[in-house]
Amino acid sequence: MPATTPEQLPLTIKESVSIPGTTNSIKQASIVTILQYRAEAVDASRLDALHAAFTQLCPRYGDDASSADPGAVACVGKVTALLLKDVGIPTFYPVAVHNLGEQRMQLLLPAFPGAHAPTVELLCKVVELTNLVLLDQSTQAIRPQIKAALQACKAHAPPGTNILPILVAAQRANIPWQRIYGNTYQFGQGVHARWLESSLTDRTPAMAVALAQNKLTTSALLRNMGFPVQPCKQVGSLEEALAYAEQLGYPVVVKPADRDRGIGVTADIDNPKLLEKAYGLALQHSASVLLEKHFAGNDHPIHVYNGEPYRVRHRIPGGVVGDGRSTISELLQRLNAEPGRGPYGSGMERVQIELDEEALDLLARQSLDSESVAEKQQFVRLRRIANVSVGGDSREVPMEQV
């Protein structure tokens, strides 16, 4: 920014305070910021330019009907909150703005425990962008700084796909929650408080977790109990994997032996070349690689609480459904734009699907390519496994049908 004294700036941050608890306006952690504004510089004549700059920075800002709010401070708060949501930071309440008089405004911005410092840094950069726009100066230099601040915030977003829906449910049920450390959260207070880490609770048996995290041991245990399981083996080299696949017969599955959420898993491998790629992928996530016979069928996770099943889901591999008019690429673009779907690692409820090597290979198997037009109601598969964490979908099965 060209030399400008603080007195000449349209907006100046005077103070920012992190509130770990709740306020009357926001029932989650927040950041309270006092901003001084120069009335003659923050007028309606420059707000159109500010809205345009914020829409360029965050396209969802332009879709928000309330972004026409005449207050520049409110606009700063709204775009900052939307940017935080885009990187998976849970913000459950709208921004609150209060006029304190004497050209001072109080901005209450929803925040996330552990991410207060990078959120304040992001807010400072957005305020700096606002000043440049209102002063009709170039914003080219500040935009990379905003991206860097946003990436610092993203590092504090809840990982995985489990905890964010739980936080949303707690907010809807008015259950107080707090982040204890890492990805561990407390829900409720006092004797009724419960701790959760992803899908694990404070009552999940440690031995059960250890068994479930070792796929080879789990398979042996189920086999010993008389359950039908596919033959499998831990393989220590690509040569051993290729030999065992020939022994079992294709198709086979390759996966890390000690990871979950479908990470590093490749299913329906029907040739040595694909097996070589799958083995390399699994090694990226674990030194222990498991190879087993592929079984084609439906995927139904069963949710159990206190020994009783209460929910059954049907998991469907990631893909698109044809409409008889649109290309696969166009269908995928619309699917990825659906609310609640974001890039892998964003913390969104569902994951976007890339038109990557796996998708292109599956398209070729179906005698299609990205520019093919699928028939109406034709399901076009783009992922080999059905895990939601890699782009799959999940649908409720009525308990009376179970």
Side-chain angles (χ1 to χ4, degrees):
M1 181 184 293
T4 306
T5 64
E7 293 76 16
Q8 294 175 308
L9 293 174
L11 292 178
T12 305
I13 294 179
K14 308 300 290 186
E15 181 183 12
S16 282
V17 178
S18 295
I19 307 296
T22 65
T23 66
N24 290 334
S25 302
I26 299 177
K27 303 300 181 182
Q28 74 171 94
S30 61
I31 294 171
V32 180
T33 302
I34 307 299
L35 295 104
Q36 190 84 36
Y37 68 93
R38 196 160 56 89
E40 62 272 21
V42 187
D43 59 23
S45 65
R46 293 298 302 162
L47 283 180
D48 286 344
L50 187 61
H51 290 319
F54 283 170
T55 300
Q56 184 180 7
L57 183 67
C58 176
R60 286 207 297 156
Y61 177 89
D63 299 332
D64 182 3
S66 63
S67 63
D69 190 308
V73 173
C75 297
V76 165
K78 288 172 186 173
V79 75
T80 304
L82 287 171
L83 287 169
L84 290 171
K85 284 185 177 180
D86 283 347
V87 294
I89 296 293
T91 54
F92 300 111
Y93 292 89
V95 171
V97 177
H98 304 290
N99 192 336
L100 303 179
E102 299 181 350
Q103 299 190 72
R104 293 187 309 145
M105 302 290 286
Q106 182 190 66
L107 172 67
L108 280 78
L109 179 69
F112 192 62
H116 285 223
T119 299
V120 170
E121 177 66 16
L122 175 64
L123 178 62
C124 290
K125 296 302 180 182
V126 172
V127 168
E128 189 171 342
L129 170 70
T130 302
N131 285 330
L132 290 168
V133 173
L134 294 177
L135 293 171
D136 198 18
Q137 296 175 359
S138 172
T139 62
Q140 184 175 358
I142 192 62
R143 291 181 182 276
Q145 297 177 39
I146 291 177
K147 287 185 177 180
L150 202 54
Q151 287 302 306
C153 291
K154 183 178 180 179
H156 295 273
T161 58
N162 289 328
I163 201 65
L164 186 56
I166 295 173
L167 293 175
V168 171
Q171 288 292 139
R172 289 174 179 169
N174 201 28
I175 297 174
W177 59 271
Q178 59 178 310
R179 192 178 197 176
I180 303 300
Y181 66 92
N183 203 33
T184 301
Y185 298 79
Q186 175 179 304
F187 295 87
Q189 296 174 332
V191 296
H192 299 293
R194 301 294 300 276
W195 285 25
L196 278 83
E197 180 181 354
S198 186
S199 58
L200 303 179
T201 77
D202 48 25
R203 297 183 186 177
T204 304
M207 290 181 67
V209 174
L211 283 170
Q213 289 179 338
N214 188 319
K215 293 181 173 66
L216 190 63
T217 303
T218 301
S219 179
L221 178 64
L222 292 173
R223 185 179 294 107
N224 292 339
M225 296 177 68
F227 289 96
V229 294
Q230 293 294 81
C232 64
K233 177 182 177 181
Q234 187 167 323
V235 290
S237 66
L238 175 59
E239 291 73 23
E240 186 178 2
L242 289 167
Y244 189 54
E246 289 294 335
Q247 178 184 333
L248 288 179
Y250 290 98
V252 296
V253 178
V254 170
K255 62 180 72 174
D258 52 5
R259 298 301 300 271
D260 54 10
R261 297 193 299 274
I263 296 173
V265 177
T266 306
D268 197 17
I269 301 168
D270 62 357
N271 63 78
K273 184 177 180 180
L274 182 56
L275 174 56
E276 183 177 352
K277 292 181 181 179
Y279 185 80
L281 174 63
L283 275 181
Q284 292 176 21
H285 300 282
S286 173
S288 301
V289 177
L290 193 71
L291 187 146
E292 66 184 9
K293 180 68 176 174
H294 177 81
F295 180 83
N298 291 318
D299 189 333
H300 289 94
I302 301 174
H303 300 250
V304 179
Y305 179 70
N306 282 345
E308 294 292 331
Y310 69 93
R311 171 183 288 181
V312 176
R313 307 284 294 180
H314 180 201
R315 292 198 306 195
I316 303 167
V320 294
V321 178
D323 59 8
R325 303 183 307 274
S326 306
T327 65
I328 305 297
S329 180
E330 292 168 342
L331 292 170
L332 186 58
Q333 186 176 8
R334 290 203 291 268
L335 179 77
N336 287 336
E338 290 178 351
R341 193 180 288 271
Y344 179 81
S346 67
M348 302 292 280
E349 187 174 351
R350 291 177 296 167
V351 175
Q352 293 174 343
I353 302 173
E354 295 182 11
L355 203 58
D356 53 14
E357 185 177 359
E358 179 182 2
L360 293 174
D361 179 66
L362 287 170
L363 283 174
R365 290 190 183 199
Q366 299 165 85
S367 301
L368 299 168
D369 59 38
S370 62
E371 297 307 308
S372 299
V373 175
E375 296 180 7
K376 194 171 184 179
Q377 297 304 312
Q378 177 187 359
F379 177 71
V380 180
R381 187 167 179 166
L382 299 173
R383 286 291 178 262
R384 289 189 171 87
I385 62 175
N387 294 63
V388 175
S389 59
V390 294
D393 208 348
S394 180
R395 299 174 186 174
E396 194 90 14
V397 177
M399 288 302 294
E400 58 268 20
Q401 296 181 11
V402 178

Coordinates of all heavy atoms in Angstrom, one line a residue, residues 84 86-89 118 149-158 343-346:
L84 N -13.5 -18.7 5.7 CA -13.2 -19.8 6.7 C -14.0 -21.0 6.4 O -13.5 -22.1 6.5 CB -13.5 -19.2 8.1 CG -12.6 -18.1 8.6 CD1 -13.1 -17.5 9.9 CD2 -11.2 -18.7 8.9
D86 N -15.0 -22.1 3.6 CA -14.5 -22.7 2.4 C -13.3 -23.6 2.6 O -13.0 -24.5 1.9 CB -14.1 -21.6 1.3 CG -15.3 -21.0 0.6 OD1 -16.4 -21.6 0.7 OD2 -15.1 -20.0 0.0
V87 N -12.6 -23.4 3.7 CA -11.4 -24.2 4.1 C -11.8 -25.2 5.2 O -10.9 -25.8 5.8 CB -10.2 -23.4 4.4 CG1 -9.7 -22.6 3.2 CG2 -10.4 -22.5 5.6
G88 N -13.0 -25.3 5.5 CA -13.5 -26.3 6.5 C -13.5 -25.9 7.9 O -13.7 -26.7 8.8
I89 N -13.4 -24.6 8.2 CA -13.5 -24.1 9.6 C -15.0 -23.9 9.9 O -15.7 -23.2 9.3 CB -12.8 -22.7 9.8 CG1 -11.3 -22.9 9.5 CG2 -13.0 -22.1 11.1 CD1 -10.5 -23.7 10.5
P118 N -4.5 -17.5 13.5 CA -4.5 -17.4 12.1 C -5.8 -16.7 11.6 O -5.8 -16.1 10.5 CB -4.4 -18.8 11.6 CG -4.8 -19.7 12.7 CD -4.4 -19.0 13.9
A149 N -2.7 -16.7 4.5 CA -3.4 -16.6 5.8 C -4.5 -17.7 5.9 O -4.7 -18.3 6.9 CB -3.9 -15.2 6.1
L150 N -5.2 -17.8 4.7 CA -6.3 -18.8 4.7 C -5.7 -20.2 4.8 O -6.4 -21.1 5.4 CB -7.0 -18.6 3.3 CG -8.4 -19.2 3.2 CD1 -9.3 -18.6 4.4 CD2 -9.0 -18.8 1.9
Q151 N -4.6 -20.5 4.2 CA -4.0 -21.8 4.3 C -3.6 -22.1 5.8 O -3.7 -23.3 6.3 CB -2.8 -22.0 3.4 CG -3.1 -22.1 2.0 CD -4.0 -23.3 1.7 OE1 -3.7 -24.4 2.0 NE2 -5.1 -23.0 1.0
A152 N -3.1 -21.1 6.5 CA -2.8 -21.3 7.9 C -4.0 -21.6 8.7 O -4.0 -22.4 9.7 CB -2.1 -20.0 8.5
C153 N -5.2 -21.0 8.3 CA -6.5 -21.4 9.0 C -6.9 -22.8 8.7 O -7.3 -23.5 9.6 CB -7.6 -20.4 8.6 SG -7.4 -18.7 9.1
K154 N -6.7 -23.2 7.4 CA -7.1 -24.5 7.0 C -6.4 -25.6 7.8 O -6.9 -26.7 8.0 CB -6.8 -24.7 5.5 CG -7.2 -26.0 4.9 CD -7.0 -26.1 3.4 CE -7.4 -27.4 2.9 NZ -7.2 -27.5 1.4
A155 N -5.2 -25.3 8.2 CA -4.4 -26.3 9.0 C -5.1 -26.7 10.3 O -4.8 -27.7 10.9 CB -3.0 -25.8 9.2
H156 N -6.0 -25.8 10.8 CA -6.6 -26.0 12.0 C -8.1 -26.6 11.9 O -8.8 -26.8 12.9 CB -6.7 -24.7 12.8 CG -5.4 -24.2 13.2 ND1 -4.7 -24.6 14.4 CD2 -4.5 -23.4 12.6 CE1 -3.5 -24.0 14.5 NE2 -3.4 -23.2 13.4
A157 N -8.5 -26.8 10.6 CA -9.8 -27.4 10.4 C -9.9 -28.8 10.8 O -8.9 -29.5 10.8 CB -10.2 -27.3 8.9
P158 N -11.1 -29.3 11.3 CA -11.2 -30.7 11.7 C -10.9 -31.6 10.6 O -11.5 -31.5 9.5 CB -12.7 -30.8 12.1 CG -13.2 -29.4 12.3 CD -12.4 -28.5 11.4
P343 N -13.4 -30.2 -1.7 CA -12.2 -31.0 -2.0 C -11.9 -31.9 -0.9 O -12.2 -31.7 0.3 CB -11.1 -29.9 -2.2 CG -11.9 -28.6 -2.5 CD -13.2 -28.7 -1.7
Y344 N -11.1 -32.9 -1.2 CA -10.6 -33.9 -0.1 C -9.8 -33.1 0.9 O -9.0 -32.3 0.5 CB -9.8 -35.0 -0.8 CG -9.2 -36.0 0.2 CD1 -10.0 -37.0 0.7 CD2 -7.9 -35.8 0.7 CE1 -9.5 -37.9 1.7 CE2 -7.4 -36.7 1.7 CZ -8.3 -37.7 2.1 OH -7.8 -38.6 3.1
G345 N -10.1 -33.3 2.2 CA -9.4 -32.6 3.2 C -10.0 -31.3 3.7 O -9.5 -30.7 4.6
S346 N -11.1 -30.9 3.0 CA -11.8 -29.6 3.3 C -12.6 -29.7 4.6 O -13.1 -28.7 5.1 CB -12.6 -29.1 2.1 OG -13.7 -30.0 1.9

